[in-house]
Amino acid sequence: MNIGDVADLSGLPAKTIRYYEDIGLVEPLRSANGYRSFRQSDVHKLAFLGRARALGFTIEDCRSLLKLYADTDRASAEVKQIAEEHLDRIDRKIAELTEMRATLSHLVDACAGDHRPNCPILADLAME
Amino acid sequence: MNIGDVADLSGLPAKTIRYYEDIGLVEPLRSANGYRSFRQSDVHKLAFLGRARALGFTIEDCRSLLKLYADTDRASAEVKQIAEEHLDRIDRKIAELTEMRATLSHLVDACAGDHRPNCPILADLAME
DNA sequence: ATAAGGGTTCCATTCACTGGAAGGTCAACA
DNA sequence: TGTTGACCTTCCAGTGAATGGAACCCTTAT
């Protein structure tokens, strides 16, 4: 299969698939004409990557997850640890954003948003 | 004032302050020895930037906010619009993360996390 | 004289792509 | 057979917002 078909099947842009080969996440074969030739297993791997990335795992997480997936002797504890660390990252990020949101929405509510220059948002940023 | 003092006062790393000068957010004077010489107004501006960045505004937002702050004829509506757009970005990001979190936490709960290879997390990623 | 602790510039790296240029390959159609 | 258009290839540069490091200059104290 050529890269365009794989892009359609996996939902990943061709550019991204080439990038994933670059950094060693997939190793498609090559046809005589130099085109990448993807096996069914490559397509499967790329779909796996797409879903892992959609869950926010980093590329390095994905690399580890793929390795664990390929290792039938893995301990599920290893997978779970990666996922739990990622869950923590997400929770911290949500907490950070939620705090920003609270402050910001408070300021937005306080701002008249009309033609006059007086503005509590700027006042807060300037610590006036 | 030298950059180190300003870094201490504003809470921004010296590297970041140099970067902000690079991209035209501040324009400190220079002493005879070539050192940056920060006025009170520069320090104030940098503190403003630090707070705006802490609220998650982009650098370009910060540039606009600084311009509005300097313009005593501004309409508060302009400030409010920037803040509201940012609030939307934050809300979208929180929604995205919350959805990731839900899926991921579901998978983590389903995973035994022991020495056995069976793993619902990998199974889900592989769409098995 | 020299050492410590400032400061300076410039270049490379981060993360995960994405855009674009320049060019090779292939299938279909006139 | 020629050519068009849709593929494919590689390589280089840019994104955002810094951060790390090298190599070097300035100031002050010992």
Side-chain angles (χ1 to χ4, degrees):
Chain A
M1 233 184 312
N2 284 348
I3 200 166
D5 308 314
V6 179
D8 292 345
L9 277 178
S10 68
L12 295 170
K15 272 253 151 170
T16 299
I17 297 173
R18 285 192 200 99
Y19 172 68
Y20 285 174
E21 182 188 13
D22 242 40
I23 62 174
L25 289 180
V26 274
E27 290 184 284
L29 302 173
R30 293 287 176 146
S31 306
N33 60 11
Y35 286 16
R36 287 170 185 80
S37 175
F38 294 84
R39 288 152 294 192
Q40 208 45 54
S41 64
D42 294 317
V43 179
H44 190 247
K45 227 180 197 180
L46 286 164
F48 182 106
L49 286 168
R51 280 185 294 271
R53 291 287 300 128
L55 284 179
F57 284 106
T58 67
I59 290 286
E60 285 319 302
D61 284 343
C62 290
R63 202 186 293 279
S64 308
L65 290 171
L66 275 179
K67 209 170 285 168
L68 287 167
Y69 181 63
D71 173 14
T72 51
D73 282 344
R74 72 194 161 244
S76 67
E78 285 193 70
V79 182
K80 188 167 182 170
Q81 197 196 330
I82 293 174
E84 278 177 336
E85 279 166 16
H86 180 40
L87 203 49
D88 279 359
R89 284 200 303 266
I90 291 178
D91 282 342
R92 280 195 301 275
K93 193 75 196 169
I94 289 178
E96 189 193 342
L97 289 171
T98 302
E99 211 174 305
M100 283 179 186
R101 211 216 103 88
T103 305
L104 201 53
S105 114
H106 183 76
L107 291 173
V108 163
D109 286 349
C111 177
D114 56 19
H115 66 285
R116 290 170 300 171
N118 187 281
C119 178
I121 302 171
L122 290 179
D124 183 271
L125 290 173
M127 286 263 264
E128 277 165 11
Chain B
M1 234 184 310
N2 285 349
I3 201 166
D5 307 315
V6 179
D8 292 345
L9 277 179
S10 68
L12 296 171
K15 272 250 149 167
T16 300
I17 297 173
R18 286 192 199 100
Y19 171 67
Y20 285 174
E21 183 188 13
D22 242 41
I23 61 175
L25 289 180
V26 274
E27 290 184 282
L29 303 172
R30 294 285 176 147
S31 307
N33 59 13
Y35 287 16
R36 287 168 184 80
S37 175
F38 294 84
R39 287 152 295 191
Q40 208 47 52
S41 63
D42 295 318
V43 179
H44 190 246
K45 227 178 196 180
L46 286 164
F48 183 107
L49 286 168
R51 280 185 293 271
R53 290 288 300 128
L55 284 179
F57 284 107
T58 66
I59 290 287
E60 287 318 303
D61 284 343
C62 290
R63 203 186 294 280
S64 308
L65 290 170
L66 276 179
K67 209 170 286 171
L68 287 167
Y69 181 63
D71 173 13
T72 52
D73 282 345
R74 72 194 161 244
S76 66
E78 285 194 71
V79 182
K80 188 167 183 171
Q81 198 197 329
I82 294 174
E84 278 176 336
E85 280 166 15
H86 180 42
L87 203 49
D88 279 359
R89 284 200 304 266
I90 290 179
D91 282 342
R92 280 196 301 276
K93 193 73 196 170
I94 290 178
E96 189 194 343
L97 288 171
T98 301
E99 211 174 305
M100 284 180 184
R101 210 217 103 88
T103 305
L104 200 54
S105 113
H106 184 75
L107 291 173
V108 163
D109 286 350
C111 176
D114 55 20
H115 65 287
R116 290 171 302 173
N118 188 280
C119 178
I121 302 170
L122 291 180
D124 183 89
L125 290 173
M127 285 265 264
E128 280 166 9

